[in-house]
Structures are given as structure tokens and as C-alpha cells.
Amino acid sequence: MRILFMGTPDIAAKCLEIMLENGLNVVGAVSQPDRPKGRGHKLMPTDVKLAAEKANIPVFQPEKIKSGELMPVLEDLKPDIIAVVAYGKILPKYVLDFAKLGCINMHASLLPKLRGAAPIQWAVINGERETGVTTMLMDEGLDTGDMLLCEKIEIGEYETSEELFCRIAELGGELLTKTIKNIENITPVKQPKGEESYAPMITKEMAHIDWSEPTEKISKLICGMNSWPMAYAFYKDEQVKVISAVKGGACKGENGEIVGLTKGKGLQVKTPDGSIYIKELQFAGKKRMLAEDYLRGNSIEFGTVLR
């Protein structure tokens, strides 16, 4: 079976690596164009490009694909199946219809829940107890295609999006491989109606902590925004990122007020129904540090209200 792989970020690269480890015949990889990154704005290759080149797989990076730009690649490689993981663009009909076995997508949620760009982060932010991965036959909708296989995974109480991301990548790569190997024996199933939810792209503004929210919601926001963009608040006029935190009991004060420091837990901040212990933080221009370590060389005024 000739497979064309389409993907861009690290989760896609991991899936590609797992497919190759399992002996699948990937004849080409399509990824987004290299983009400038960092302070020097140096052009950086995508993770999928790096993984494909390491395996001596030809890489194609068209700037656009909606008007037939990918057709020469398809006609040259003649894939039997197209595997897609976080490519980053809606696939036009000529791509969806080209391979005789279709386009198979690995989506990082239990469809139809959390369709869209950021299912892993929103599963954590929403306080879901479990999520998973689903393989599906792609259609022209946004993650609306018929489902093939799915597998569940539990989410830990303080598991971050980054930690869950790593587990999902492994699980997704294995499930995608299993799906492709058994594609002709799997019966597609329609997604259930009325159970849809969406996972829009994460923005930096979404990471601003509202200290009037319940403790549980704040805790999940902190976990869900790790590793990007990181939950944050303002100490006086200075932004501080909250890297990690744990939930605490009730205390007196105003919502968002720093009420003290507890050894082994961190800075205690008042919430409406309890408190949050900020364990690890990062002030602008400084390294991320445990709150206890930060206070050994810096001062934080107890009684200050974070906003």
C-alpha cells in the first residue's frame, strides 16, 4: 500500500515515525512551508519535514493546495491512501477524492467531541476526565467524517496539555497505523448527532486567569495552558506566568489575594471557594522557578491582589 502522509507539527511527526517503525510504506510527505521563528526570524523546517528527511522520504511544501497545486504530487506518487495528522489546512475535494482508499485523519479527541484546532488543550481546560483519539474518513467538513477506530485515555488531575500531548501522540500513531493496516476490514460509522463540541484555536488572551472563577476551573486553565501560552496574571503591573499549581482549602482575603507562602506547596492565592497554591512561576525576563526559590532572592508582598 502506497501512503502519502500530510502533517506539520510534532504530533504529526511522531505519528509518521510510528507508522515507519511499523513498516508502513510512506512514499511522500506533504507539510506546511518553512516559517521564520525566533528572534532572528530564521526559516525553520516543520517537524514532519525533519522526520521525513531523516527517513529519506521526499517532502513537498506547497504554499497553497486549494486550486490544484498538489495534483502533480498526487499523480506522481499515486498513493492508495492519504494519512493526515494536523496538516493545518482544509483539504480540497480533489485531494479527498484522489486515493482509492480515501484520506484517513487522526484526530486527538473522541469525536464528535472537540472538533477543531486544539482538542488536547480544551479537554484539559474543560476538566474532562477522559479523552482519546479517533481515526476517520475525511470529508469536506471540519472533523465531520465517518469514524473508523477510537481509543480512550484518562486525564490525570494535574496533567498538563504538554504531558497529555505526548501520550496522545503515541496513542494516535499506533491507532493510525492499526487503521491503515486494517482499512479494508473496518466499517465506517457516522458520528452521533447532538453530541458535537468544538475546540477553537488557543490565544494568549485566553490564558489570563480570572480569580473570581472557581478553584477547579482556574486549576484546569493552568494545566491546559501548559506548555503554551502559559496561564498568567498581573502582580502589580508585572505579568507573571503560572507554570504549575495545586488546589488548596479556604482562606480569608479578596479573590486573587496572595495570602502567604506554604513550604512544599507555594504561594497561596485566594479564590471564591478555596485557594490556589502557585508552585512554579515565571516573571517577565526571568527564569521559571519554584515560588519558594524565587522568594529567596526576590520579594513578593503578601496581601497584593493578582489581577
Side-chain angles (χ1 to χ4, degrees):
M1 188 185 299
R2 296 174 62 81
I3 302 164
L4 176 64
F5 186 85
M6 298 183 70
T8 299
D10 44 2
I11 189 170
K14 185 63 180 178
C15 289
L16 174 59
E17 289 168 358
I18 291 172
M19 289 168 60
L20 295 172
E21 288 167 4
N22 281 275
L24 294 184
N25 180 33
V26 180
V27 296
V30 179
S31 193
Q32 293 275 352
D34 297 347
R35 303 293 187 199
K37 290 184 180 179
R39 292 181 180 178
H41 298 286
K42 181 181 178 182
L43 277 180
M44 298 295 289
T46 70
D47 294 293
V48 163
K49 180 179 182 179
L50 292 172
E53 288 182 339
K54 184 178 179 181
N56 294 316
I57 294 170
V59 179
F60 307 91
Q61 296 176 281
E63 191 71 44
K64 298 178 181 179
I65 62 169
K66 65 180 180 179
S67 300
E69 292 86 351
L70 200 59
M71 186 58 80
V73 175
L74 297 173
E75 291 175 338
D76 180 50
L77 295 180
K78 298 178 175 59
D80 300 304
I81 196 166
I82 299 173
V84 185
V85 182
Y87 175 59
K89 290 183 179 179
I90 299 294
L91 301 190
K93 195 172 188 303
Y94 79 91
V95 177
L96 295 173
D97 293 344
F98 188 89
K100 65 180 181 181
L101 295 175
C103 288
I104 309 301
N105 175 243
M106 189 288 287
H107 186 72
S109 78
L110 298 173
L111 290 171
K113 277 189 170 184
L114 298 175
R115 295 171 175 169
I120 296 174
Q121 292 95 322
W122 283 108
V124 177
I125 293 167
N126 292 345
E128 302 283 355
R129 293 186 177 182
E130 67 176 17
T131 186
V133 295
T134 306
T135 52
M136 66 173 177
L137 278 172
M138 296 180 72
D139 60 18
E140 292 183 84
L142 179 63
D143 302 323
T144 56
D146 292 353
M147 300 182 296
L148 297 168
L149 297 177
C150 67
E151 193 159 338
K152 296 179 180 179
I153 191 170
E154 291 186 359
I155 303 175
E157 183 177 9
Y158 293 112
E159 186 167 16
T160 66
S161 288
E162 182 175 29
E163 292 165 341
L164 181 59
F165 191 99
C166 293
R167 296 202 294 138
I168 287 280
E170 290 279 353
L171 185 66
E174 295 293 346
L175 193 70
L176 183 58
T177 298
K178 181 179 178 181
T179 301
I180 292 171
K181 285 187 172 183
N182 297 281
I183 188 62
E184 295 179 281
N185 299 313
I186 299 172
T187 302
V189 177
K190 296 286 184 185
Q191 295 189 30
K193 297 287 186 180
E195 298 179 20
E196 305 90 344
S197 63
Y198 293 89
M201 190 175 294
I202 297 292
T203 66
K204 290 182 179 180
E205 291 74 22
M206 292 174 181
H208 191 179
I209 299 170
D210 180 353
W211 296 99
S212 68
E213 296 279 12
T215 305
E216 180 70 14
K217 190 169 182 179
I218 294 172
S219 175
K220 293 303 180 184
L221 181 73
I222 293 167
C223 292
M225 293 296 176
N226 185 330
S227 63
W228 190 92
M230 291 295 183
Y232 67 91
F234 288 95
Y235 172 78
K236 298 182 178 179
D237 292 325
E238 194 172 0
Q239 187 187 91
V240 55
K241 292 180 179 179
V242 180
I243 311 298
S244 63
V246 295
K247 294 173 288 187
C251 60
K252 293 181 179 180
E254 186 179 342
N255 291 337
E257 182 177 338
I258 303 171
V259 298
L261 177 72
T262 301
K263 189 175 181 180
K265 289 187 176 180
L267 286 171
Q268 188 178 19
V269 181
K270 170 79 168 62
T271 59
D273 58 344
S275 60
I276 288 285
Y277 286 99
I278 299 176
K279 188 174 183 180
E280 189 176 6
L281 48 71
Q282 183 177 20
F283 279 87
K286 297 187 178 180
K287 294 180 180 179
R288 50 193 291 177
M289 301 177 71
L290 293 174
E292 291 178 58
D293 293 340
Y294 180 83
L295 282 169
R296 290 193 179 99
N298 303 272
S299 63
I300 288 180
E301 293 180 18
F302 298 159
T304 301
V305 175
L306 297 174
R307 54 178 179 81

